[in-house]
mmCIF file of all heavy atoms in Angstrom:
data_model
loop_
_atom_site.group_PDB
_atom_site.id
_atom_site.type_symbol
_atom_site.label_atom_id
_atom_site.label_comp_id
_atom_site.label_asym_id
_atom_site.label_seq_id
_atom_site.Cartn_x
_atom_site.Cartn_y
_atom_site.Cartn_z
ATOM 1 N N ASP A 538 2.291 -0.662 -3.912
ATOM 2 C CA ASP A 538 1.544 -1.365 -4.992
ATOM 3 C C ASP A 538 0.068 -0.833 -5.042
ATOM 4 O O ASP A 538 -0.234 0.153 -4.480
ATOM 5 C CB ASP A 538 1.495 -2.905 -4.643
ATOM 6 C CG ASP A 538 2.897 -3.562 -4.541
ATOM 7 O OD1 ASP A 538 3.721 -3.161 -5.371
ATOM 8 O OD2 ASP A 538 3.127 -4.330 -3.659
ATOM 9 N N ALA A 539 -0.769 -1.622 -5.746
ATOM 10 C CA ALA A 539 -2.102 -1.122 -5.854
ATOM 11 C C ALA A 539 -2.951 -1.518 -4.547
ATOM 12 O O ALA A 539 -2.673 -2.490 -3.951
ATOM 13 C CB ALA A 539 -2.825 -1.730 -7.084
ATOM 14 N N LYS A 540 -3.980 -0.805 -4.361
ATOM 15 C CA LYS A 540 -4.821 -1.085 -3.180
ATOM 16 C C LYS A 540 -5.455 -2.332 -3.502
ATOM 17 O O LYS A 540 -5.787 -2.712 -4.694
ATOM 18 C CB LYS A 540 -5.924 -0.036 -3.082
ATOM 19 C CG LYS A 540 -5.508 1.260 -2.342
ATOM 20 C CD LYS A 540 -6.738 1.985 -1.950
ATOM 21 C CE LYS A 540 -6.458 3.288 -1.267
ATOM 22 N NZ LYS A 540 -5.945 4.303 -2.262
ATOM 23 N N SER B 571 -7.468 -6.187 -6.918
ATOM 24 C CA SER B 571 -7.150 -4.663 -7.069
ATOM 25 C C SER B 571 -8.299 -4.074 -7.798
ATOM 26 O O SER B 571 -9.168 -4.838 -8.409
ATOM 27 C CB SER B 571 -5.908 -4.533 -7.855
ATOM 28 O OG SER B 571 -6.058 -5.043 -9.022
ATOM 29 N N ALA B 572 -8.424 -2.761 -7.878
ATOM 30 C CA ALA B 572 -9.499 -2.117 -8.534
ATOM 31 C C ALA B 572 -9.507 -2.578 -9.931
ATOM 32 O O ALA B 572 -10.591 -2.841 -10.624
ATOM 33 C CB ALA B 572 -9.307 -0.575 -8.549
ATOM 34 N N ASP B 573 -8.380 -2.765 -10.529
ATOM 35 C CA ASP B 573 -8.313 -3.086 -12.005
ATOM 36 C C ASP B 573 -8.750 -4.439 -12.228
ATOM 37 O O ASP B 573 -9.407 -4.853 -13.191
ATOM 38 C CB ASP B 573 -6.795 -3.065 -12.387
ATOM 39 C CG ASP B 573 -6.670 -3.111 -13.948
ATOM 40 O OD1 ASP B 573 -7.185 -2.136 -14.516
ATOM 41 O OD2 ASP B 573 -6.157 -4.144 -14.500
ATOM 42 N N LEU B 588 -13.190 2.481 -15.257
ATOM 43 C CA LEU B 588 -12.418 2.191 -14.049
ATOM 44 C C LEU B 588 -12.689 3.114 -12.917
ATOM 45 O O LEU B 588 -12.695 2.785 -11.743
ATOM 46 C CB LEU B 588 -11.022 2.111 -14.456
ATOM 47 C CG LEU B 588 -9.864 2.009 -13.459
ATOM 48 C CD1 LEU B 588 -10.102 0.582 -12.680
ATOM 49 C CD2 LEU B 588 -8.487 2.022 -14.041
ATOM 50 N N ASN B 592 -13.425 2.399 -8.962
ATOM 51 C CA ASN B 592 -12.587 3.058 -7.871
ATOM 52 C C ASN B 592 -13.524 3.771 -6.955
ATOM 53 O O ASN B 592 -13.361 3.604 -5.719
ATOM 54 C CB ASN B 592 -11.528 3.958 -8.449
ATOM 55 C CG ASN B 592 -10.237 3.310 -8.625
ATOM 56 O OD1 ASN B 592 -9.703 2.701 -7.800
ATOM 57 N ND2 ASN B 592 -9.730 3.366 -9.939
ATOM 58 N N GLY B 611 -1.854 0.642 -0.562
ATOM 59 C CA GLY B 611 -2.140 1.852 -1.294
ATOM 60 C C GLY B 611 -1.337 2.995 -0.576
ATOM 61 O O GLY B 611 -0.504 2.717 0.175
ATOM 62 P P DA C 215 -7.972 15.319 -22.223
ATOM 63 O OP1 DA C 215 -7.936 15.975 -23.526
ATOM 64 O OP2 DA C 215 -7.240 14.045 -21.913
ATOM 65 O "O5'" DA C 215 -7.437 16.266 -21.048
ATOM 66 C "C5'" DA C 215 -8.472 16.997 -20.237
ATOM 67 C "C4'" DA C 215 -7.901 17.157 -18.858
ATOM 68 O "O4'" DA C 215 -8.225 15.972 -18.081
ATOM 69 C "C3'" DA C 215 -6.327 17.327 -18.684
ATOM 70 O "O3'" DA C 215 -6.078 18.440 -17.851
ATOM 71 C "C2'" DA C 215 -6.003 16.073 -18.115
ATOM 72 C "C1'" DA C 215 -7.143 15.602 -17.297
ATOM 73 N N9 DA C 215 -7.279 14.153 -16.950
ATOM 74 C C8 DA C 215 -7.100 13.066 -17.896
ATOM 75 N N7 DA C 215 -7.303 11.993 -17.292
ATOM 76 C C5 DA C 215 -7.653 12.319 -15.970
ATOM 77 C C6 DA C 215 -7.901 11.407 -14.910
ATOM 78 N N6 DA C 215 -7.945 10.114 -14.907
ATOM 79 N N1 DA C 215 -8.126 12.040 -13.712
ATOM 80 C C2 DA C 215 -8.107 13.333 -13.638
ATOM 81 N N3 DA C 215 -7.883 14.334 -14.644
ATOM 82 C C4 DA C 215 -7.526 13.637 -15.777
ATOM 83 P P DA C 216 -4.598 18.909 -17.585
ATOM 84 O OP1 DA C 216 -4.458 20.316 -17.669
ATOM 85 O OP2 DA C 216 -3.690 18.018 -18.337
ATOM 86 O "O5'" DA C 216 -4.416 18.479 -16.035
ATOM 87 C "C5'" DA C 216 -5.539 18.897 -15.103
ATOM 88 C "C4'" DA C 216 -5.250 18.149 -13.771
ATOM 89 O "O4'" DA C 216 -5.465 16.802 -13.845
ATOM 90 C "C3'" DA C 216 -3.824 18.354 -13.308
ATOM 91 O "O3'" DA C 216 -3.981 18.752 -11.968
ATOM 92 C "C2'" DA C 216 -3.251 16.918 -13.409
ATOM 93 C "C1'" DA C 216 -4.429 16.108 -13.225
ATOM 94 N N9 DA C 216 -4.337 14.742 -13.849
ATOM 95 C C8 DA C 216 -3.976 14.410 -15.178
ATOM 96 N N7 DA C 216 -4.080 13.126 -15.286
ATOM 97 C C5 DA C 216 -4.421 12.585 -14.202
ATOM 98 C C6 DA C 216 -4.735 11.241 -13.855
ATOM 99 N N6 DA C 216 -4.498 10.080 -14.675
ATOM 100 N N1 DA C 216 -5.142 11.015 -12.566
ATOM 101 C C2 DA C 216 -5.344 11.988 -11.765
ATOM 102 N N3 DA C 216 -5.080 13.407 -11.986
ATOM 103 C C4 DA C 216 -4.663 13.617 -13.262
ATOM 104 P P DC C 217 -2.652 19.321 -11.068
ATOM 105 O OP1 DC C 217 -3.188 20.519 -10.348
ATOM 106 O OP2 DC C 217 -1.541 19.433 -12.084
ATOM 107 O "O5'" DC C 217 -2.383 18.080 -10.152
ATOM 108 C "C5'" DC C 217 -3.200 17.179 -10.008
ATOM 109 C "C4'" DC C 217 -2.912 16.047 -8.987
ATOM 110 O "O4'" DC C 217 -3.031 14.722 -9.786
ATOM 111 C "C3'" DC C 217 -1.501 16.054 -8.513
ATOM 112 O "O3'" DC C 217 -1.520 15.754 -7.081
ATOM 113 C "C2'" DC C 217 -0.698 14.960 -9.364
ATOM 114 C "C1'" DC C 217 -1.835 13.966 -9.613
ATOM 115 N N1 DC C 217 -1.679 13.236 -10.903
ATOM 116 C C2 DC C 217 -1.957 11.860 -10.897
ATOM 117 O O2 DC C 217 -2.383 11.411 -9.806
ATOM 118 N N3 DC C 217 -1.873 11.116 -12.015
ATOM 119 C C4 DC C 217 -1.370 11.698 -13.157
ATOM 120 N N4 DC C 217 -1.314 10.966 -14.117
ATOM 121 C C5 DC C 217 -1.083 13.100 -13.160
ATOM 122 C C6 DC C 217 -1.199 13.715 -12.103
ATOM 123 P P DA C 218 -0.245 16.085 -6.244
ATOM 124 O OP1 DA C 218 -0.739 16.918 -5.068
ATOM 125 O OP2 DA C 218 0.872 16.642 -7.013
ATOM 126 O "O5'" DA C 218 0.161 14.656 -5.676
ATOM 127 C "C5'" DA C 218 -0.779 13.826 -5.153
ATOM 128 C "C4'" DA C 218 -0.135 12.410 -5.133
ATOM 129 O "O4'" DA C 218 -0.172 11.887 -6.421
ATOM 130 C "C3'" DA C 218 1.265 12.472 -4.693
ATOM 131 O "O3'" DA C 218 1.391 11.424 -3.625
ATOM 132 C "C2'" DA C 218 2.100 12.156 -5.925
ATOM 133 C "C1'" DA C 218 1.164 11.317 -6.658
ATOM 134 N N9 DA C 218 1.365 11.332 -8.215
ATOM 135 C C8 DA C 218 1.592 12.372 -8.840
ATOM 136 N N7 DA C 218 1.676 12.084 -10.208
ATOM 137 C C5 DA C 218 1.476 10.702 -10.229
ATOM 138 C C6 DA C 218 1.441 9.786 -11.311
ATOM 139 N N6 DA C 218 1.716 10.072 -12.575
ATOM 140 N N1 DA C 218 1.276 8.517 -10.962
ATOM 141 C C2 DA C 218 1.075 8.214 -9.707
ATOM 142 N N3 DA C 218 1.063 8.927 -8.632
ATOM 143 C C4 DA C 218 1.278 10.241 -8.878
ATOM 144 P P DC C 219 2.628 11.334 -2.782
ATOM 145 O OP1 DC C 219 2.100 11.069 -1.370
ATOM 146 O OP2 DC C 219 3.524 12.438 -3.007
ATOM 147 O "O5'" DC C 219 3.374 10.034 -3.255
ATOM 148 C "C5'" DC C 219 2.686 8.870 -3.420
ATOM 149 C "C4'" DC C 219 3.401 7.923 -4.283
ATOM 150 O "O4'" DC C 219 3.273 8.382 -5.754
ATOM 151 C "C3'" DC C 219 4.869 7.731 -4.012
ATOM 152 O "O3'" DC C 219 5.048 6.377 -3.538
ATOM 153 C "C2'" DC C 219 5.497 8.035 -5.343
ATOM 154 C "C1'" DC C 219 4.421 7.873 -6.375
ATOM 155 N N1 DC C 219 4.525 8.545 -7.657
ATOM 156 C C2 DC C 219 4.519 7.808 -8.860
ATOM 157 O O2 DC C 219 4.327 6.624 -8.859
ATOM 158 N N3 DC C 219 4.566 8.547 -10.032
ATOM 159 C C4 DC C 219 4.814 9.928 -10.008
ATOM 160 N N4 DC C 219 4.835 10.460 -11.151
ATOM 161 C C5 DC C 219 4.916 10.641 -8.862
ATOM 162 C C6 DC C 219 4.694 9.955 -7.645
ATOM 163 P P DG D 398 6.158 4.247 -21.228
ATOM 164 O OP1 DG D 398 6.521 2.965 -22.122
ATOM 165 O OP2 DG D 398 5.126 5.115 -21.675
ATOM 166 O "O5'" DG D 398 5.704 3.556 -19.763
ATOM 167 C "C5'" DG D 398 6.722 2.947 -18.969
ATOM 168 C "C4'" DG D 398 6.138 2.604 -17.716
ATOM 169 O "O4'" DG D 398 6.194 3.772 -16.745
ATOM 170 C "C3'" DG D 398 4.606 2.254 -17.684
ATOM 171 O "O3'" DG D 398 4.482 0.960 -16.986
ATOM 172 C "C2'" DG D 398 3.904 3.323 -17.045
ATOM 173 C "C1'" DG D 398 4.927 4.013 -16.039
ATOM 174 N N9 DG D 398 4.925 5.338 -15.838
ATOM 175 C C8 DG D 398 4.798 6.293 -16.797
ATOM 176 N N7 DG D 398 4.660 7.526 -16.330
ATOM 177 C C5 DG D 398 4.714 7.298 -14.986
ATOM 178 C C6 DG D 398 4.662 8.264 -13.842
ATOM 179 O O6 DG D 398 4.639 9.471 -13.892
ATOM 180 N N1 DG D 398 4.761 7.574 -12.670
ATOM 181 C C2 DG D 398 4.944 6.257 -12.490
ATOM 182 N N2 DG D 398 4.857 5.794 -11.195
ATOM 183 N N3 DG D 398 4.967 5.402 -13.470
ATOM 184 C C4 DG D 398 4.786 5.973 -14.625
ATOM 185 P P DT D 399 3.053 0.263 -17.057
ATOM 186 O OP1 DT D 399 3.431 -1.237 -17.069
ATOM 187 O OP2 DT D 399 2.197 0.824 -18.041
ATOM 188 O "O5'" DT D 399 2.489 0.505 -15.591
ATOM 189 C "C5'" DT D 399 3.150 0.271 -14.457
ATOM 190 C "C4'" DT D 399 2.436 0.659 -13.289
ATOM 191 O "O4'" DT D 399 2.544 2.195 -13.211
ATOM 192 C "C3'" DT D 399 0.969 0.402 -13.281
ATOM 193 O "O3'" DT D 399 0.600 -0.140 -12.061
ATOM 194 C "C2'" DT D 399 0.260 1.876 -13.394
ATOM 195 C "C1'" DT D 399 1.312 2.768 -12.830
ATOM 196 N N1 DT D 399 1.451 4.131 -13.201
ATOM 197 C C2 DT D 399 1.259 5.086 -12.276
ATOM 198 O O2 DT D 399 1.322 4.869 -11.073
ATOM 199 N N3 DT D 399 1.185 6.460 -12.753
ATOM 200 C C4 DT D 399 1.349 6.771 -14.055
ATOM 201 O O4 DT D 399 1.296 7.914 -14.490
ATOM 202 C C5 DT D 399 1.390 5.716 -15.070
ATOM 203 C C7 DT D 399 1.322 5.960 -16.473
ATOM 204 C C6 DT D 399 1.312 4.307 -14.643
ATOM 205 P P DG D 400 -0.857 -0.860 -11.893
ATOM 206 O OP1 DG D 400 -0.552 -2.100 -11.127
ATOM 207 O OP2 DG D 400 -1.546 -0.847 -13.191
ATOM 208 O "O5'" DG D 400 -1.560 0.201 -10.984
ATOM 209 C "C5'" DG D 400 -0.829 0.571 -9.719
ATOM 210 C "C4'" DG D 400 -1.556 1.756 -9.062
ATOM 211 O "O4'" DG D 400 -1.288 2.845 -9.801
ATOM 212 C "C3'" DG D 400 -3.058 1.668 -9.121
ATOM 213 O "O3'" DG D 400 -3.491 1.831 -7.784
ATOM 214 C "C2'" DG D 400 -3.632 2.730 -10.027
ATOM 215 C "C1'" DG D 400 -2.380 3.665 -9.939
ATOM 216 N N9 DG D 400 -2.291 4.513 -11.154
ATOM 217 C C8 DG D 400 -2.166 4.135 -12.504
ATOM 218 N N7 DG D 400 -2.031 5.043 -13.299
ATOM 219 C C5 DG D 400 -2.045 6.270 -12.574
ATOM 220 C C6 DG D 400 -1.962 7.556 -12.894
ATOM 221 O O6 DG D 400 -1.743 8.008 -13.989
ATOM 222 N N1 DG D 400 -1.999 8.368 -11.736
ATOM 223 C C2 DG D 400 -2.029 7.897 -10.417
ATOM 224 N N2 DG D 400 -2.160 8.939 -9.450
ATOM 225 N N3 DG D 400 -2.237 6.711 -10.069
ATOM 226 C C4 DG D 400 -2.191 5.842 -11.179
ATOM 227 P P DT D 401 -5.084 1.986 -7.454
ATOM 228 O OP1 DT D 401 -5.167 1.395 -6.145
ATOM 229 O OP2 DT D 401 -5.868 1.497 -8.506
ATOM 230 O "O5'" DT D 401 -5.260 3.499 -7.325
ATOM 231 C "C5'" DT D 401 -4.500 4.248 -6.374
ATOM 232 C "C4'" DT D 401 -4.877 5.719 -6.324
ATOM 233 O "O4'" DT D 401 -4.593 6.297 -7.593
ATOM 234 C "C3'" DT D 401 -6.426 5.891 -6.057
ATOM 235 O "O3'" DT D 401 -6.425 6.773 -4.945
ATOM 236 C "C2'" DT D 401 -6.941 6.366 -7.296
ATOM 237 C "C1'" DT D 401 -5.786 7.042 -8.049
ATOM 238 N N1 DT D 401 -5.678 7.156 -9.466
ATOM 239 C C2 DT D 401 -5.525 8.389 -10.024
ATOM 240 O O2 DT D 401 -5.450 9.465 -9.322
ATOM 241 N N3 DT D 401 -5.486 8.358 -11.373
ATOM 242 C C4 DT D 401 -5.533 7.226 -12.217
ATOM 243 O O4 DT D 401 -5.436 7.367 -13.479
ATOM 244 C C5 DT D 401 -5.654 5.981 -11.538
ATOM 245 C C7 DT D 401 -5.762 4.693 -12.263
ATOM 246 C C6 DT D 401 -5.749 5.976 -10.185
ATOM 247 P P DT D 402 -7.915 7.225 -4.483
ATOM 248 O OP1 DT D 402 -7.722 7.418 -2.920
ATOM 249 O OP2 DT D 402 -8.940 6.369 -5.000
ATOM 250 O "O5'" DT D 402 -8.071 8.649 -5.147
ATOM 251 C "C5'" DT D 402 -6.987 9.636 -4.919
ATOM 252 C "C4'" DT D 402 -7.383 10.817 -5.687
ATOM 253 O "O4'" DT D 402 -7.346 10.687 -7.005
ATOM 254 C "C3'" DT D 402 -8.753 11.384 -5.423
ATOM 255 O "O3'" DT D 402 -8.585 12.809 -4.926
ATOM 256 C "C2'" DT D 402 -9.446 11.282 -6.789
ATOM 257 C "C1'" DT D 402 -8.402 11.291 -7.701
ATOM 258 N N1 DT D 402 -8.572 10.548 -8.965
ATOM 259 C C2 DT D 402 -8.350 11.247 -10.160
ATOM 260 O O2 DT D 402 -8.079 12.435 -10.235
ATOM 261 N N3 DT D 402 -8.502 10.467 -11.268
ATOM 262 C C4 DT D 402 -8.760 9.115 -11.294
ATOM 263 O O4 DT D 402 -8.966 8.533 -12.374
ATOM 264 C C5 DT D 402 -9.025 8.505 -10.081
ATOM 265 C C7 DT D 402 -9.295 7.032 -9.972
ATOM 266 C C6 DT D 402 -8.919 9.269 -8.909
#
Side-chain angles (χ1 to χ4, degrees):
Chain A
D538 300 318
K540 280 197 183 66
Chain B
S571 62
D573 197 62
L588 177 56
N592 266 307

